[in-house]
Every structure is written in C-alpha cells, then in structure tokens.
Amino acid sequence: CFFGLSEIKLVPAPAESELVHTFSADKVYYIQWKNTGANYITENRDKSLTVADKKNSKYQFWKLIPVEGKSHCYYIQNVVTENYIETCNKDKNSKSYIYTSTEKREYYIGQTTSTSANIAGCYYMSSTDCADYSDESKNPLALNKDGGSNGVLTWTAGHGSEGSYWKIVETDEEYQIPEPPVHGS
C-alpha cells in the first residue's frame, strides 16, 4: 500500500474505435465565422473560398469526414461540388488565399481553450501538413477570414488571432439551384 492506495491500475491507450470525433460524415454543416451570424465559408465557381451571407443557393454546405485512425482529423468536403478544402500550409500573408480541389486534404479541427467571449466554443482548422497543427498554444497555420476582404486565407490560430475561429453548425437545410434571372422585354 502506497500513500493509502489499495490498488494501482494501468489503463491501455484508447482503441481506434474510441477515437474522438466530434462531427459525423452523415451530417451536413455550415462553417460560420466565429461569433458573427452572417459569414459562412462559401466555395465560389472558381474554387476560391470566401465568406458570404447564408443562402441556400450558394455552395455553403460541408461534410466533415472523419479520418480513420486519427482523433479530431477530417476531410472537409463541399456537399454540392464534392471538392475538398486544400491545404492551409502556405506563407502567412494577405495573398495566401485558400481554394478547393478534387484531392482530399486532412484537417485537424480543434476547439479553442480560450475563454474570450469572441471565440469561446469555436474551432480552428489546420491542415495536418502544418507544423504544430494540433497545438493551439503554438499558433499553427489555419483557415482565417481575411480582415481586409471576404477571402479565406492562411493565418495563425491562437488566442491572439481571433480571425481563425469558426462555429460549425449542423443543418438540415439543403442546397437549392438558383433561379435564373428574369429578363424584361
């Protein structure tokens, strides 16, 4: 008996089936910029990512497909175009815009530990080819809403970089093909 303990029990590492996945591939999500209610990640026809007001005729519906064998890791796929968000492992500058691609890119989706009212409960998304992608305290590169435009670009996450935080909101809404414009005579 050591310090009054009657037993010491060693617990094995979690099995693959016990990995942590917060999101399901069977659900559809909006990715909303931090605590605003009007900025949703949108894929444009040129495959660039921007934020825009919520509208069912825009490419704003996303699947988060868990990566087998890895906790908190997902492929982020647009439901309509079936494209995936490309890597955010780019130079951190105002020209490092993010696009989609037909190739899968693995992303770590981490919930912030910050208690700031602006980002509490929000997530950062860093592609797993970035250094320190799973350690928010080391300011990993992540998806960020550009402060000077509506573009989505590479910037760092971390408690001092609130532009890199997002709410992930499950939705039952569906994409609607836009109505063609009505032309006058």
Side-chain angles (χ1 to χ4, degrees), residues 26-84:
D26 298 328
K27 297 182 180 179
V28 176
Y29 301 92
Y30 285 121
I31 303 173
Q32 177 186 352
W33 187 51
K34 51 185 200 149
N35 289 337
T36 68
N39 295 298
Y40 295 81
I41 291 184
T42 304
E43 180 182 351
N44 299 301
R45 293 190 189 279
D46 67 355
K47 297 186 179 184
S48 66
L49 293 181
T50 57
V51 294
D53 291 341
K54 185 173 89 165
K55 191 170 185 182
N56 289 14
S57 61
K58 294 180 180 177
Y59 302 151
Q60 298 177 326
F61 299 91
W62 300 94
K63 281 181 132 182
L64 304 177
I65 304 164
V67 175
E68 190 173 329
K70 292 189 171 183
S71 288
H72 304 287
C73 291
Y74 301 86
Y75 301 112
I76 306 172
Q77 183 183 40
N78 188 288
V79 172
V80 182
T81 66
E82 297 184 351
N83 291 325
Y84 298 89

Side-chain angles (χ1 to χ4, degrees):
C1 186
F2 185 72
F3 291 107
L5 296 176
S6 60
E7 176 182 355
I8 294 178
K9 191 176 196 180
L10 297 176
V11 179
E16 191 171 303
S17 63
E18 295 173 315
L19 293 173
V20 176
H21 286 294
T22 306
F23 306 104
S24 169
D26 298 328
K27 297 182 180 179
V28 176
Y29 301 92
Y30 285 121
I31 303 173
Q32 177 186 352
W33 187 51
K34 51 185 200 149
N35 289 337
T36 68
N39 295 298
Y40 295 81
I41 291 184
T42 304
E43 180 182 351
N44 299 301
R45 293 190 189 279
D46 67 355
K47 297 186 179 184
S48 66
L49 293 181
T50 57
V51 294
D53 291 341
K54 185 173 89 165
K55 191 170 185 182
N56 289 14
S57 61
K58 294 180 180 177
Y59 302 151
Q60 298 177 326
F61 299 91
W62 300 94
K63 281 181 132 182
L64 304 177
I65 304 164
V67 175
E68 190 173 329
K70 292 189 171 183
S71 288
H72 304 287
C73 291
Y74 301 86
Y75 301 112
I76 306 172
Q77 183 183 40
N78 188 288
V79 172
V80 182
T81 66
E82 297 184 351
N83 291 325
Y84 298 89
I85 295 180
E86 70 171 8
T87 182
C88 65
N89 190 5
K90 299 180 175 192
D91 290 337
K92 181 183 112 173
N93 66 51
S94 62
K95 297 190 184 342
S96 293
Y97 289 102
I98 304 296
Y99 291 81
T100 60
S101 167
T102 57
E103 293 185 34
K104 291 180 181 178
R105 175 60 65 185
E106 193 176 299
Y107 267 82
Y108 179 86
I109 301 179
Q111 192 164 30
T112 186
T113 58
S114 174
T115 57
S116 163
N118 290 334
I119 62 172
C122 293
Y123 297 87
Y124 73 94
M125 295 174 275
S126 179
S127 53
T128 59
D129 57 345
C130 294
D132 302 315
Y133 66 86
S134 64
D135 189 348
E136 181 185 27
S137 70
K138 292 187 177 176
N139 301 321
L141 295 173
L143 300 180
N144 180 286
K145 188 239 177 249
D146 181 14
S149 75
N150 285 328
V152 175
L153 51 70
T154 294
W155 207 258
T156 54
H159 298 175
S161 266
E162 292 185 356
S164 293
Y165 289 89
W166 307 85
K167 284 186 174 180
I168 299 175
V169 182
E170 184 181 335
T171 183
D172 290 330
E173 295 179 50
E174 295 181 3
Y175 173 73
Q176 297 173 353
I177 296 172
E179 295 287 328
V182 177
H183 297 287
S185 54

